[in-house]
Amino acid sequence: EPEVTQTPSHQVTQMGQEVILRCVPISNHLYFYWYRQILGQKVEFLVSFYNNEISEKSEIFDDQFSVERPDGSNFTLKIRSTKLEDSAMYFCASRRDRGQEKLFFGSGTQLSVL
Amino acid sequence: AQKVTQAQTEISVVEKEDVTLDCVYETRDTTYYLFWYKQPPSGELVFLIRRNSFDEQNEISGRYSWNFQKSTSSFNFTITASQVVDSAVYFCALSGVGSSNTGKLIFGQGTTLQVKP
């Protein structure tokens, strides 16, 4: 089965540093998403991306966050100045179209902000 | 607003027992999708099922079964003859449908299932 690939699996950064989380969605997919899961809590929607623009974002996704699809295969999440509370597992996901059966999730990047 | 509630925070059973995980949802959409995902200790999210809101037929897949009741806005998940490998966090999720929806998932808080040998 095709997979969504996320790198790195674990990232450690200092508070205030910029971090970029990388994802390679499934190749024929058109809708891309980032979700976040703080340890022990539920999975929360951050942002959806379609046709090279953000289609929806949550309140969590403030000016410190940005997403980009720079080259037609990668989908990145940038956090400009990380805070301690950004520590979480970040999941990338994709689907072929809005009506497709399921959202394919990557295995996640565990971000630790020290 | 859309909301998913999984009232059971943790459930512990002994192997071979049946267990039901509850899920209650709220939405103003007339058409929507409901999902269950499994998150084993390794952390990834594993898709289990998607149910369309206009298909209320219950579904069985091996030891797993799902009971969708639109009248009570519930989408419960039963594992029959549980096994230790079923130990995981289980998330119920809701997604809107239609041109105004981006397909995002709204997750419940999750239920941690521990199956003891």
Side-chain angles (χ1 to χ4, degrees):
Chain A
E1 186 171 67
E3 288 184 346
V4 174
T5 307
Q6 287 187 247
T7 54
S9 57
H10 197 166
Q11 174 121 22
V12 181
T13 189
Q14 294 291 325
M15 191 170 58
Q17 294 295 307
E18 175 183 285
V19 67
I20 297 176
L21 308 183
R22 303 182 189 279
C23 170
V24 179
I26 295 169
S27 61
N28 63 345
H29 284 193
L30 301 176
Y31 292 80
F32 313 109
Y33 305 82
W34 283 100
Y35 287 80
R36 177 181 86 173
Q37 185 184 27
I38 294 172
L39 184 64
Q41 298 186 22
K42 69 177 177 181
V43 180
E44 300 174 289
F45 168 78
L46 291 178
V47 65
S48 60
F49 192 85
Y50 169 69
N51 201 24
N52 267 330
E53 60 183 23
I54 291 174
S55 44
E56 188 174 358
K57 59 184 180 179
S58 71
E59 292 176 354
I60 303 167
F61 195 88
D62 61 21
D63 292 345
Q64 292 299 313
F65 291 88
S66 62
V67 289
E68 194 178 30
R69 188 154 161 79
D71 55 14
S73 62
N74 291 285
F75 180 51
T76 61
L77 174 69
K78 183 195 291 187
I79 308 174
R80 289 191 183 82
S81 178
T82 50
K83 307 183 189 99
L84 295 177
E85 54 265 37
D86 293 328
S87 295
M89 177 75 88
Y90 288 82
F91 290 103
C92 174
S94 70
R95 58 162 49 122
R96 189 178 63 241
D97 54 56
R98 217 168 26 230
Q100 190 191 7
E101 177 167 346
K102 66 181 183 181
L103 198 57
F104 288 77
F105 281 90
S107 53
T109 293
Q110 180 64 53
L111 176 65
S112 299
V113 182
L114 306 178
Chain B
Q2 296 178 319
K3 186 179 177 182
V4 176
T5 302
Q6 294 178 254
Q8 303 151 308
T9 306
E10 290 185 27
I11 300 176
S12 182
V13 299
V14 177
E15 206 170 19
K16 296 184 184 171
E17 285 185 9
D18 299 347
V19 58
T20 295
L21 310 181
D22 297 334
C23 173
V24 174
Y25 62 92
E26 296 174 29
T27 181
R28 291 185 191 147
D29 291 342
T30 53
T31 308
Y32 47 89
Y33 292 125
L34 294 162
F35 300 78
W36 277 95
Y37 280 84
K38 174 181 179 180
Q39 187 176 42
S42 49
E44 72 273 23
L45 289 166
V46 179
F47 169 84
L48 295 178
I49 190 172
R50 183 196 80 161
R51 171 62 68 205
N52 192 310
S53 57
F54 49 78
D55 180 4
E56 290 195 62
Q57 197 169 18
N58 290 329
E59 182 156 342
I60 298 175
S61 175
R63 295 184 298 107
Y64 296 168
S65 61
W66 291 269
N67 182 0
F68 175 37
Q69 299 215 342
K70 208 167 180 178
S71 59
T72 55
S73 297
S74 66
F75 185 45
N76 297 337
F77 172 33
T78 298
I79 302 174
T80 304
S82 58
Q83 300 176 1
V84 173
V85 294
D86 295 328
S87 297
V89 182
Y90 290 85
F91 290 99
C92 181
L94 170 69
S95 171
V97 179
S99 60
S100 63
N101 285 286
T102 60
K104 75 177 186 189
L105 293 181
I106 304 297
F107 283 85
Q109 292 288 112
T111 297
T112 300
L113 174 64
Q114 185 181 33
V115 182
K116 298 177 183 175

